[in-house]
Amino acid sequence: MTLTNEDLLALSQMMDIKLQPIEKHLVRIEDRLTRVETKMDDLETKVDNLEIKVNNLETKVDNLEIKVDNLETKVDNLEIKVDNLETKVDNLEIKVNNLETRVSKLELDAKSLHSELALIKRDLKQVRVCQETKLIPRLSNIEACYLDTSIRYQESADKVDVVCEDVQLLKKVVGEHSEKLKKIKTM
Protein backbone atom coordinates (compact mmCIF):
# COMPACT_ATOMS: atom_id res chain seq x y z
CA MET A 1 0.00 0.00 0.00
CA THR A 2 1.21 3.27 -0.96
CA LEU A 3 0.35 6.39 0.82
CA THR A 4 -0.68 9.48 -0.93
CA ASN A 5 0.16 12.99 -0.03
CA GLU A 6 -3.22 13.47 1.48
CA ASP A 7 -2.72 10.41 3.57
CA LEU A 8 0.61 11.62 4.66
CA LEU A 9 -0.83 15.06 5.45
CA ALA A 10 -3.66 13.50 7.40
CA LEU A 11 -1.18 11.35 9.22
CA SER A 12 0.98 14.37 9.88
CA GLN A 13 -1.96 16.32 11.26
CA MET A 14 -2.94 13.41 13.36
CA MET A 15 0.54 13.11 14.64
CA ASP A 16 0.62 16.84 15.33
CA ILE A 17 -2.59 16.57 17.31
CA LYS A 18 -1.30 13.57 19.18
CA LEU A 19 2.09 15.12 19.75
CA GLN A 20 0.68 18.44 21.06
CA PRO A 21 0.05 17.10 24.57
CA ILE A 22 3.50 15.53 24.52
CA GLU A 23 5.03 18.81 23.35
CA LYS A 24 3.18 20.68 26.07
CA HIS A 25 4.37 18.11 28.50
CA LEU A 26 7.92 18.50 27.17
CA VAL A 27 7.69 22.28 27.53
CA ARG A 28 6.58 21.86 31.13
CA ILE A 29 9.40 19.40 31.71
CA GLU A 30 11.88 21.85 30.14
CA ASP A 31 10.50 24.61 32.40
CA ARG A 32 10.84 22.36 35.38
CA LEU A 33 14.30 21.37 34.25
CA THR A 34 15.25 25.05 33.97
CA ARG A 35 13.92 25.68 37.47
CA VAL A 36 15.78 22.62 38.75
CA GLU A 37 18.94 23.87 37.06
CA THR A 38 18.43 27.29 38.67
CA LYS A 39 17.89 25.61 41.99
CA MET A 40 20.96 23.47 41.37
CA ASP A 41 22.98 26.62 40.64
CA ASP A 42 21.64 28.16 43.85
CA LEU A 43 22.47 24.95 45.70
CA GLU A 44 25.96 24.90 44.21
CA THR A 45 26.44 28.51 45.35
CA LYS A 46 25.17 27.59 48.78
CA VAL A 47 27.42 24.51 48.86
CA ASP A 48 30.38 26.68 47.82
CA ASN A 49 29.50 29.13 50.60
CA LEU A 50 29.15 26.22 53.00
CA GLU A 51 32.53 24.88 51.89
CA ILE A 52 34.08 28.30 52.56
CA LYS A 53 32.38 28.40 55.94
CA VAL A 54 33.51 24.82 56.69
CA ASN A 55 37.06 25.75 55.68
CA ASN A 56 36.85 28.81 57.95
CA LEU A 57 35.48 26.63 60.72
CA GLU A 58 38.27 24.11 60.17
CA THR A 59 40.81 26.92 60.41
CA LYS A 60 39.13 28.17 63.58
CA VAL A 61 39.05 24.63 64.98
CA ASP A 62 42.76 24.26 64.16
CA ASN A 63 43.44 27.56 65.93
CA LEU A 64 41.31 26.41 68.84
CA GLU A 65 43.22 23.14 68.97
CA ILE A 66 46.48 25.10 69.12
CA LYS A 67 45.04 27.27 71.87
CA VAL A 68 43.78 24.19 73.71
CA ASP A 69 47.25 22.63 73.41
CA ASN A 70 48.74 25.84 74.79
CA LEU A 71 46.17 25.84 77.56
CA GLU A 72 46.94 22.21 78.33
CA THR A 73 50.62 23.08 78.57
CA LYS A 74 49.81 25.98 80.85
CA VAL A 75 47.52 23.77 82.94
CA ASP A 76 50.30 21.18 83.19
CA ASN A 77 52.69 23.92 84.32
CA LEU A 78 50.10 25.16 86.79
CA GLU A 79 49.63 21.63 88.10
CA ILE A 80 53.39 21.38 88.63
CA LYS A 81 53.37 24.72 90.43
CA VAL A 82 50.38 23.64 92.52
CA ASP A 83 52.19 20.40 93.39
CA ASN A 84 55.23 22.44 94.41
CA LEU A 85 53.02 24.75 96.45
CA GLU A 86 51.36 21.76 98.10
CA THR A 87 54.78 20.41 99.01
CA LYS A 88 55.78 23.78 100.42
CA VAL A 89 52.50 24.01 102.35
CA ASP A 90 53.09 20.51 103.74
CA ASN A 91 56.58 21.56 104.81
CA LEU A 92 55.18 24.71 106.36
CA GLU A 93 52.57 22.68 108.21
CA ILE A 94 55.34 20.48 109.60
CA LYS A 95 57.29 23.56 110.66
CA VAL A 96 54.18 25.11 112.20
CA ASN A 97 53.51 21.89 114.10
CA ASN A 98 57.10 21.90 115.33
CA LEU A 99 56.76 25.54 116.34
CA GLU A 100 53.49 24.81 118.13
CA THR A 101 55.21 21.99 120.02
CA ARG A 102 58.09 24.30 120.93
CA VAL A 103 55.67 27.05 121.98
CA SER A 104 53.79 24.57 124.15
CA LYS A 105 57.07 23.57 125.81
CA LEU A 106 58.01 27.22 126.23
CA GLU A 107 54.62 27.92 127.79
CA LEU A 108 55.18 25.06 130.24
CA ASP A 109 58.68 26.38 130.96
CA ALA A 110 57.26 29.88 131.44
CA LYS A 111 54.69 28.55 133.90
CA SER A 112 57.44 26.70 135.74
CA LEU A 113 59.63 29.81 135.75
CA HIS A 114 56.68 31.86 136.96
CA SER A 115 56.22 29.47 139.86
CA GLU A 116 59.94 29.54 140.61
CA LEU A 117 59.95 33.34 140.36
CA ALA A 118 57.10 33.51 142.87
CA LEU A 119 59.16 31.33 145.24
CA ILE A 120 62.24 33.49 144.66
CA LYS A 121 60.23 36.64 145.36
CA ARG A 122 58.92 35.13 148.57
CA ASP A 123 62.43 34.07 149.61
CA LEU A 124 63.78 37.52 148.67
CA LYS A 125 61.14 39.14 150.82
CA GLN A 126 62.16 36.89 153.70
CA VAL A 127 65.82 37.80 153.10
CA ARG A 128 64.95 41.50 153.18
CA VAL A 129 63.00 41.08 156.37
CA CYS A 130 65.94 39.14 157.84
CA GLN A 131 68.34 41.88 156.75
CA GLU A 132 66.19 44.62 158.19
CA THR A 133 65.49 42.87 161.48
CA LYS A 134 68.69 40.93 162.15
CA LEU A 135 71.63 41.71 159.90
CA ILE A 136 71.46 45.49 159.65
CA PRO A 137 71.27 45.99 163.42
CA ARG A 138 74.14 43.54 163.90
CA LEU A 139 76.19 45.19 161.17
CA SER A 140 75.54 48.56 162.77
CA ASN A 141 76.82 47.15 166.06
CA ILE A 142 79.88 45.60 164.39
CA GLU A 143 80.52 48.86 162.55
CA ALA A 144 80.38 50.82 165.79
CA CYS A 145 82.82 48.41 167.42
CA TYR A 146 85.23 48.51 164.50
CA LEU A 147 84.99 52.27 164.33
CA ASP A 148 85.93 52.58 168.00
CA THR A 149 88.74 50.06 167.54
CA SER A 150 89.92 51.84 164.45
CA ILE A 151 90.10 55.15 166.29
CA ARG A 152 92.09 53.49 169.09
CA TYR A 153 94.46 51.91 166.56
CA GLN A 154 95.00 55.22 164.86
CA GLU A 155 95.74 56.85 168.18
CA SER A 156 98.05 54.00 169.11
CA ALA A 157 99.79 54.00 165.72
CA ASP A 158 101.87 56.99 166.72
CA LYS A 159 102.82 55.22 169.92
CA VAL A 160 103.80 52.11 167.96
CA ASP A 161 106.19 54.15 165.86
CA VAL A 162 107.79 55.56 169.03
CA VAL A 163 107.97 52.05 170.51
CA CYS A 164 109.62 50.75 167.32
CA GLU A 165 112.21 53.47 167.55
CA ASP A 166 112.75 52.64 171.20
CA VAL A 167 113.13 48.94 170.36
CA GLN A 168 115.67 49.78 167.68
CA LEU A 169 117.55 51.89 170.14
CA LEU A 170 117.39 49.11 172.74
CA LYS A 171 118.68 46.58 170.21
CA LYS A 172 121.56 48.84 169.45
CA VAL A 173 122.34 49.48 173.11
CA VAL A 174 122.00 45.79 173.96
CA GLY A 175 124.23 44.90 171.05
CA GLU A 176 126.87 47.35 172.24
CA HIS A 177 126.64 46.13 175.81
CA SER A 178 126.91 42.53 174.62
CA GLU A 179 130.12 43.31 172.86
CA LYS A 180 131.47 45.18 175.85
CA LEU A 181 130.57 42.22 178.06
CA LYS A 182 132.32 39.83 175.73
CA LYS A 183 135.40 41.95 175.80
CA ILE A 184 135.28 42.14 179.52
CA LYS A 185 134.97 38.41 179.73
CA THR A 186 137.85 37.82 177.49
CA MET A 187 140.08 40.05 179.39
Side-chain angles (χ1 to χ4, degrees), residues 26 88 108-109 115 127 135 146 151 153 160 178-179 184:
L26 275 174
K88 288 180 180 179
L108 289 174
D109 289 347
S115 298
V127 167
L135 293 179
Y146 277 120
I151 292 170
Y153 286 150
V160 168
S178 286
E179 283 182 30
I184 294 176

Side-chain angles (χ1 to χ4, degrees), residues 69-109:
D69 288 343
N70 288 338
L71 282 174
E72 285 177 347
T73 302
K74 288 180 180 180
V75 165
D76 289 343
N77 289 338
L78 281 174
E79 285 177 348
I80 290 170
K81 288 180 180 180
V82 165
D83 288 343
N84 289 338
L85 282 174
E86 286 176 346
T87 302
K88 288 180 180 179
V89 165
D90 290 343
N91 290 339
L92 282 175
E93 284 178 351
I94 291 170
K95 288 181 180 179
V96 165
N97 288 337
N98 289 341
L99 284 174
E100 285 176 348
T101 302
R102 290 174 62 192
V103 165
S104 295
K105 288 179 182 177
L106 286 174
E107 285 173 346
L108 289 174
D109 289 347

Side-chain angles (χ1 to χ4, degrees), residues 14-29:
M14 224 166 79
M15 284 292 274
D16 283 341
I17 292 172
K18 292 261 183 196
L19 284 175
Q20 273 181 355
I22 291 175
E23 281 180 2
K24 286 181 185 177
H25 192 60
L26 275 174
V27 167
R28 283 191 312 237
I29 288 175

Side-chain angles (χ1 to χ4, degrees), residues 12 20 22 38 55 57 75 79 83 92 96 98 107 111 114 118 138 143 149 161 167 183:
S12 171
Q20 273 181 355
I22 291 175
T38 303
N55 285 337
L57 282 175
V75 165
E79 285 177 348
D83 288 343
L92 282 175
V96 165
N98 289 341
E107 285 173 346
K111 286 179 184 177
H114 184 68
R138 287 182 182 172
E143 180 184 10
T149 305
D161 288 339
V167 168
K183 283 182 184 176

Side-chain angles (χ1 to χ4, degrees), residues 16-55:
D16 283 341
I17 292 172
K18 292 261 183 196
L19 284 175
Q20 273 181 355
I22 291 175
E23 281 180 2
K24 286 181 185 177
H25 192 60
L26 275 174
V27 167
R28 283 191 312 237
I29 288 175
E30 283 179 354
D31 286 343
R32 282 177 78 191
L33 187 61
T34 302
R35 287 192 308 254
V36 166
E37 284 177 349
T38 303
K39 286 184 179 179
M40 282 295 288
D41 287 343
D42 288 345
L43 282 176
E44 282 180 2
T45 302
K46 287 181 180 179
V47 164
D48 287 343
N49 288 338
L50 281 175
E51 283 181 355
I52 290 171
K53 287 181 179 179
V54 164
N55 285 337

